[in-house]
Amino acid sequence: MIYSLALVLLLGFELCFYLLIVQTGVVEHYNSDTVTLFPMFVGGVAGTILGGFSWGKISNPIHKIMVALSLQLLLSTLYPDYNSFTLILLGLSVGVMAPLGIYLFKAKQRQELLFALAIAYAIGTYFFTYDADSRVYMAVGFSAIALLSAFVLRDYMVETDEKEVSHPYLQYLPLMFWIFLDSNLFETLSRHPYLDIWSEYTFTIIVFHLLGLVAAYFINISKTKKHIFIALIFASSYTLSYLELPLLLAMLYPFTISYYNVVVFTTLSKEASISKLAFMMIFVGWMASGLGLAVALSRALH
């Protein structure tokens, strides 16, 4: 029971850190300047690769996580003013967490994943409009809770026999596409002068985030049908954004995010090889989301 709670808090508040500090906080502070933010991207990729290898005597994933979160907590005190070196270190700490945080979960721990995502989306949505330059207490608080949870899990052992055999690489391609679509639409909407859904429909968004999580948990359909459904709701979300219908968008888009992310996290958590998971996270996480940001800034799709 204590391990389940610690897992929920670890992933939930690390996702809060990513959403409110890395994805929206630091990025907004530097006005989405891809040149300035490039060191963080490089550090993220390097950290993700590093997370998949043994660190000599530090081979237990949870011990690596404790090192990464200690660095993240230290860097949180410097928020939001980073230089190129500290941006690399910030990316490194978050990058290490990317595969390892997911790897801790066993194939059957869908409830824990559900509650972790619920924490992340509820808190992330509620504080989305909070001044990006005033989030230092969030950065420190989220990192401290995640580190304390990791400390509780210090003797936790991942049961690899409860994970599936490694998936073929092609099965991860749809996940990359969904993350690209999400990143592009999210960045586009956050800069759209008439579709600021987070400030006007905050609680509507939270409710539909939770409904999306519940739907993904209780609706049991085949993998192919799940991807078809995700394609349809993404297409509908993009359509609502083109038509500039904020209320409907505030209902469907959060549902879409939650639903597809349960599929993404569940699929990734079943990967038996931590090194392969780290390799795929470079593309599923950093590459796909980075490309989505670049396309959004170019306004090629909107």
Side-chain angles (χ1 to χ4, degrees), residues 131-176:
D131 180 30
D133 290 345
S134 304
R135 299 180 183 179
V136 61
Y137 296 110
M138 292 186 199
V140 172
F142 297 156
S143 299
I145 293 173
L147 180 57
L148 179 61
S149 301
F151 182 78
V152 172
L153 291 164
R154 63 190 181 280
D155 296 323
Y156 179 74
M157 298 297 294
V158 179
E159 296 181 24
T160 54
D161 58 339
E162 290 194 23
K163 293 180 177 286
E164 293 185 353
V165 178
S166 295
H167 295 296
Y169 286 106
L170 287 177
Q171 287 194 22
Y172 290 106
L173 286 177
L175 309 187
M176 295 171 58

Side-chain angles (χ1 to χ4, degrees), residues 262-279:
V262 172
V263 175
V264 169
F265 277 92
T266 301
T267 303
L268 292 172
S269 68
K270 293 177 181 178
E271 176 59 57
S273 169
I274 191 170
S275 58
K276 183 175 179 180
L277 176 59
F279 177 74

